[in-house]
Amino acid sequence: MRSDRMKKGIDRAPHRSLFYAMGCLKEELEKPIIGIANSANELIPGHIHLDRICQAVKEGIRLAGGTPMEFSTIGICDGIAMGHEGMKYSLGSRELICDSVEVMAKAYPFDGLVLIPNCDKIIPGMIMAAMRLNIPAIVISGGPMLTGRYKGKTVDLITVFEGVGKVGGGLMDENELGVLEECACPGAGSCAGMFTANSMNCLSEALGIALPGNGTIPAVYGERIRLAKKAGKKVVELVNGQIKPRDIVTLDAFKNAIAVDMAFGGSSNTALHLPAIAYEAGIDLPLSLFDEISERVPHICNMSPAGPHHLEDLYHAGGVFGIMKELSKKNLINKKCLTVDGRKVGDILKVAEVRDISVIRPLKEPYHEKGGLAVLHGSLAPDGSIVKRIGVLESVWHFVGRARVFEREEDAGKAIMDGSIVPGDVVVIRYEGPKGGPGMREMLTPTSILAGRGLDTSCALITDGRFSGGTRGLCIGHISPEAAEGGPIALVKDGDMIEIDLNRKTIDLLVKEKELEKRRKTWRPPEPNIKEGYMARYGKLVTSASKGAVFKD
């Protein structure tokens, strides 16, 4: 066993003595030792219950003949970090989480790993570590939050963000917003729509690194606890069979995950995290692959914020494997891929079913013929950019507007809230990329205010930053190269005309090349926004969003 390096033989007597000091029995040390990376904390609603998930995992490990040993990782709630300097640290935390799991699994040679994330960057960070380490591992998340109820309608966190814009536009008063904010998020779990956390938790199933149900079983259901116990048992099976993450998360598994992503219209952040996970596995996952799969996979599941359904609806309708079952009817899913369940995808699909066709539509009746995300290229984004296409009304799929340029998110948000942005404007927020931010902030505050003020169908917003899965409207992120690297977005001026065409998948700055060359000669890189500490180092090491914003080799 791998753990023998720290517990077996005469020369490991001091090591065993230290384990005994922690209350371990000799019999426990003779069993496979399973490390549990638990991201529980009191700062994220999706993580406040993970101590109970962890306890269930431990019970499952012991039932299967293993010995669990828990350690902690950090975690940031993007919703609470949104709209201020805290968001600069969110994406950067992904690399810290990955590194911290690696460090623990190298210092303590566990036989296997259970990864317990639930929100935002914690999920990809932990999966990246699993791929890097390549020891038997399984993911078990904390599950999605239930929806709130307000005036007889379902609501979620995005309803509150958009409520801020409604107050600014005189469509809601502050008392109403106060009532809404107290009922929109009713308890533990990752926020109820198909935002980044739930997108990644669902895709962990499609990748095969988590058990069926991981992405959709609500956080407060007893079934979530039972799934955690099963995960604990399964990881011991993986150890005994020496089945490792790279045996499961192959290029074909990534293709399955991207197909599911397109079918349910996931967060645009998946185009950042899946390539980063692939990078750790030594697999190249270019943006062009997302575009290729998007062209042939229809959008069959319309989730909040683009549509009316939430994660609990998807759970009752058949979950992730219900979607995969429908996609498999046109050979859009590779059934031969292995999963941590021990079965191949095809074997699981034999028992999967679609229980509600109003949530998971038949392939012949899709919401859209093509997938949820699209990759745009053009003179403004030579290396690509990302748009959540299904969140954009088709009436503005072709849009030409005037640039309103802002050097940081806060200034753009204030201008939108003050009514300075008018129909026909293209809000440009730059120097918010991985390097320039640093940290590539999410722009949920300005996009939600746009939507709340009713401007999401008459304005566009583009950025070298990124968007929350909760964003809707003509919002294009991940503009690459970013402004801090001298990309074309750095050369845009107020009043320049910008053309966006989602049909042709182009984004262009309508300025003559001679003028752009003149501007390029006078452009100088700005001073770093953060000059010390972790994010200062991060800004020097990070690569482009088009490469997953991983660290340079």
Side-chain angles (χ1 to χ4, degrees):
M1 288 189 290
R2 190 171 180 269
S3 60
D4 286 348
R5 301 174 197 172
M6 63 177 173
K7 67 183 186 183
K8 192 172 182 180
I10 294 174
D11 57 346
R12 294 296 180 260
H15 305 62
R16 292 192 294 275
S17 182
L18 292 170
F19 280 116
Y20 296 149
M22 293 184 281
C24 291
L25 298 174
K26 182 179 179 181
E27 302 94 284
E28 290 179 291
L29 297 184
E30 291 171 349
K31 297 175 180 178
I33 293 180
I34 310 298
I36 304 175
N38 186 5
S39 56
N41 66 35
E42 296 180 348
L43 291 162
I44 309 175
H47 290 229
I48 57 172
H49 65 307
L50 293 189
D51 53 347
R52 192 172 176 214
I53 297 292
C54 186
Q55 185 57 41
V57 167
K58 290 177 182 177
E59 290 169 10
I61 291 170
R62 292 191 187 281
L63 282 170
T67 297
M69 292 188 175
E70 177 189 355
F71 62 93
S72 300
T73 72
I74 62 168
I76 293 172
C77 173
D78 277 18
I80 295 174
M82 197 73 66
H84 57 88
E85 188 184 37
M87 180 48 71
K88 292 179 182 287
Y89 289 78
S90 176
L91 183 59
S93 74
R94 185 187 72 179
E95 318 312 305
L96 276 177
I97 290 162
C98 176
D99 288 351
S100 68
V101 174
E102 176 202 4
V103 164
M104 290 299 288
K106 291 290 189 181
Y108 299 86
F110 302 121
D111 297 300
L113 273 175
V114 178
L115 307 166
I116 309 180
N118 206 32
C119 291
D120 301 312
K121 310 309 160 293
I122 302 101
I123 307 156
M126 285 189 172
I127 300 176
M128 287 165 66
M131 303 311 297
R132 183 185 295 176
L133 290 161
N134 201 32
I135 62 175
I138 192 168
V139 172
I140 171 66
S141 74
M145 186 185 291
L146 296 176
T147 56
R149 301 284 294 181
Y150 179 68
K151 293 185 176 181
K153 296 181 179 179
T154 55
V155 293
D156 56 36
L157 179 67
I158 303 310
T159 317
V160 187
F161 269 99
E162 293 185 359
V164 175
K166 288 182 178 180
V167 171
L171 302 174
M172 176 184 281
D173 64 41
E174 290 189 39
N175 290 331
E176 286 180 288
L177 181 62
V179 174
L180 175 61
E181 70 184 61
E182 289 192 23
C183 66
C185 300
S190 47
C191 297
M194 193 58 82
F195 315 138
T196 303
N198 288 326
S199 296
M200 291 305 301
N201 279 329
C202 286
L203 295 186
S204 66
E205 287 187 51
L207 285 171
I209 196 73
L211 294 173
N214 180 69
T216 59
I217 298 171
V220 296
Y221 282 18
E223 188 180 355
R224 173 62 55 179
I225 300 300
R226 297 199 300 274
L227 190 74
K229 289 180 182 179
K230 289 177 185 176
K233 292 176 68 177
K234 285 293 181 184
V235 75
V236 178
E237 291 180 19
L238 294 171
V239 169
N240 291 337
Q242 278 303 290
I243 299 171
K244 299 174 183 178
R246 295 188 191 183
D247 300 325
I248 294 168
V249 186
T250 61
L251 179 57
D252 285 332
F254 278 108
K255 290 178 180 178
N256 280 350
I258 295 171
V260 172
D261 192 10
M262 297 306 164
F264 64 43
S267 166
S268 58
N269 282 316
T270 57
L272 199 64
H273 299 319
L274 289 178
I277 294 168
Y279 172 80
E280 295 294 347
I283 297 171
D284 182 33
L285 203 70
L287 284 180
S288 58
L289 186 59
F290 285 77
D291 212 33
E292 174 194 322
I293 294 173
S294 179
E295 286 299 299
R296 54 188 171 85
V297 176
H299 174 225
I300 60 173
C301 193
N302 206 15
M303 306 292 291
S304 173
H309 300 126
H310 292 83
L311 267 292
E312 61 196 87
D313 301 314
L314 180 55
Y315 162 73
H316 290 294
V320 172
F321 275 88
I323 295 173
M324 294 173 76
K325 177 97 170 184
E326 191 62 26
L327 294 179
S328 69
K329 292 178 181 178
K330 281 194 175 179
N331 297 318
L332 295 170
I333 294 295
N334 188 315
K335 298 179 181 180
K336 296 179 181 179
C337 293
L338 187 62
T339 74
V340 290
D341 182 73
R343 294 176 288 172
K344 291 183 178 179
V345 167
D347 296 323
I348 299 174
L349 290 180
K350 288 176 184 177
V351 296
E353 59 180 337
V354 176
R355 297 189 289 269
D356 187 344
I357 60 170
S358 71
V359 177
I360 303 174
R361 280 193 177 180
L363 287 174
K364 61 185 179 183
E365 299 176 25
Y367 288 98
H368 300 91
E369 294 291 339
K370 296 180 180 179
L373 301 182
V375 180
L376 310 185
H377 288 85
S379 62
L380 196 49
D383 292 344
S385 58
I386 297 290
V387 62
K388 191 169 183 175
R389 180 165 50 186
I390 52 101
V392 185
L393 286 180
E394 290 193 36
S395 60
V396 287
W397 276 29
H398 180 257
F399 186 89
V400 180
R402 303 170 299 275
R404 291 292 308 279
V405 182
F406 301 91
E407 311 297 330
R408 59 184 199 137
E409 178 195 0
E410 289 89 343
D411 296 338
K414 184 176 183 301
I416 300 167
M417 195 71 174
D418 291 348
S420 300
I421 302 301
V422 298
D425 284 347
V426 178
V427 178
V428 179
I429 307 177
R430 63 190 180 193
Y431 296 108
E432 290 284 11
K435 182 184 181 70
M440 202 180 182
R441 285 196 286 184
E442 285 185 349
M443 304 292 158
L444 182 56
T445 297
T447 60
S448 295
I449 297 171
L450 267 180
R453 292 183 69 94
L455 292 169
D456 56 312
T457 58
S458 58
C459 290
L461 190 151
I462 68 172
T463 180
D464 52 7
R466 58 196 175 91
F467 297 118
S468 161
T471 291
R472 61 187 175 94
L474 188 53
C475 301
I476 298 158
H478 303 207
I479 300 282
S480 300
E482 62 175 288
E485 292 188 326
I489 192 173
L491 308 179
V492 182
K493 291 185 176 182
D494 277 339
D496 286 349
M497 300 305 290
I498 292 172
E499 181 179 18
I500 300 162
D501 193 326
L502 301 194
N503 292 300
R504 293 190 297 123
K505 292 186 285 190
T506 57
I507 179 167
D508 290 299
L509 178 59
L510 304 181
V511 174
K512 292 184 185 286
E513 182 55 39
K514 188 175 181 181
E515 171 61 21
L516 289 179
E517 189 56 40
K518 189 172 162 187
R519 295 180 191 180
R520 200 172 281 116
K521 287 178 180 176
T522 59
W523 177 82
R524 296 292 179 272
E527 283 291 309
N529 288 317
I530 298 177
K531 296 184 173 66
E532 58 186 16
Y534 172 66
M535 288 309 293
R537 297 196 302 275
Y538 177 91
K540 294 175 182 176
L541 295 172
V542 71
T543 59
S544 166
S546 64
K547 299 181 182 301
V550 296
F551 282 166
K552 297 171 185 172
D553 288 330

